[in-house]
Amino acid sequence: MKLLEEKIKKDGMVLNEHVLKVDSFLNHQLDPSLMNEIGKEFAARFNGNGITKIVTIESSGIAPAVMAGLHMMVPVVFARKKKSLTLTDDLLTASVYSFTKNETNEISVSKKYVDANDKVLIIDDFLANGEAALGLVNIVQQTGAEVTGIGIVIEKSFQNGSRKLQDLGLRVESLAQIASLTNGEVTFINEKVEEYIK
Ligand code: 5GP
């Protein structure tokens, strides 16, 4: 997605060879118009798949997921990372190790909001080693619902999350695919391909 790639090049900050900071438009401050375009793009890519629900994880997955939900006209459920005092229903849980925070969270979703009749699109902001997405897949599968696809805003293709998910037979749609973050620079997969063709 060209617009997203341009935004990443312009405003993304490469922290090191493994981590990209996008606090100015996705992870802290949010760019609503970009989020809207992201939602539209997910809706276009999964159009005709009969999605009935979007499942994401707090907090940075929520903005792109809500925008996708708006364009697809389906509800959005976000997994919580901390048990809430008000969330007392039957919970489905999974353990997720966070790559950037170096901690494991027990994530949870109420059984009330996903059921066996659902066709679920999982959305997250980043895909690195696939832990968060796999945790969400685990939770959705506990309900008997179908995981119809996984939508990722920024995939770091040099880490193995995408491979792991595809090896499980899951369809992954990533709007930006980063080939490397070396020398303080973002290089997208399509730039690598263009370089190769030249
Ligand atoms: P994974 O679970 O696939 O290893 O990592 C994905 C999760 O970790 C995402 O939910 C995201 O919040 C966080 N994450 C992973 N890599 C990055 C990164 O380079 N930058 C930022 N801002 N978050 C990341």
Side-chain angles (χ1 to χ4, degrees):
M1 184 182 169
K2 198 92 197 122
L3 186 69
L4 174 63
E5 288 180 354
E6 284 167 5
K7 187 75 171 172
I8 294 170
K9 285 267 192 197
K10 185 165 156 279
D11 294 335
M13 283 171 57
V14 177
L15 282 193
N16 56 48
E17 293 203 342
H18 303 283
V19 181
L20 176 71
K21 196 171 150 107
V22 288
D23 276 16
S24 68
F25 61 93
L26 180 61
N27 287 154
H28 193 23
Q29 175 171 257
L30 295 167
D31 179 334
S33 124
L34 179 64
M35 292 304 121
N36 185 37
E37 292 304 319
I38 284 171
K40 215 185 272 178
E41 182 68 24
F42 280 135
R45 292 194 190 200
F46 288 98
N47 183 26
N49 286 254
I51 308 267
T52 61
K53 199 148 285 187
I54 293 174
V55 172
T56 186
I57 181 167
E58 67 174 347
S59 52
S60 297
I62 296 177
V66 165
M67 288 302 185
L70 186 63
H71 286 281
M72 297 170 86
M73 304 224 290
V74 297
V76 178
V77 181
F78 66 90
R80 292 183 185 253
K81 289 182 179 163
K82 296 246 151 50
K83 290 256 159 69
S84 153
L85 285 178
T86 56
L87 194 65
T88 51
D89 311 310
D90 272 352
L91 295 179
L92 300 159
T93 61
S95 259
V96 170
Y97 172 74
S98 164
F99 165 76
T100 44
K101 299 204 175 102
N102 190 22
E103 63 182 27
T104 300
N105 288 299
E106 178 101 326
I107 65 165
S108 52
V109 167
S110 164
K111 279 187 186 160
K112 209 163 142 187
Y113 299 117
V114 186
D115 67 44
N117 298 315
D118 279 316
K119 293 185 78 161
V120 176
L121 170 61
I122 289 173
I123 285 185
D124 203 8
D125 60 338
F126 270 91
L127 180 60
N129 296 314
E131 292 279 326
L134 284 167
L136 293 173
V137 168
N138 180 328
I139 284 183
V140 170
Q141 288 179 341
Q142 286 178 52
T143 69
E146 173 190 303
V147 177
T148 308
I150 299 176
I152 299 291
V153 181
I154 305 174
E155 172 189 309
K156 291 182 296 176
S157 310
F158 56 89
Q159 292 173 296
N160 63 1
S162 183
R163 170 73 27 237
K164 279 192 212 164
L165 295 167
Q166 289 180 54
D167 283 351
L168 292 174
L170 296 164
R171 173 179 168 204
V172 181
E173 288 286 340
S174 302
L175 306 190
Q177 292 179 297
I178 295 177
S180 85
L181 292 173
T182 47
N183 304 321
E185 217 180 289
V186 179
T187 307
F188 295 106
I189 291 236
N190 49 15
E191 292 176 300
K192 279 252 191 243
V193 173
E194 277 163 23
E195 213 173 276
Y196 182 74
I197 295 171
K198 265 187 212 164

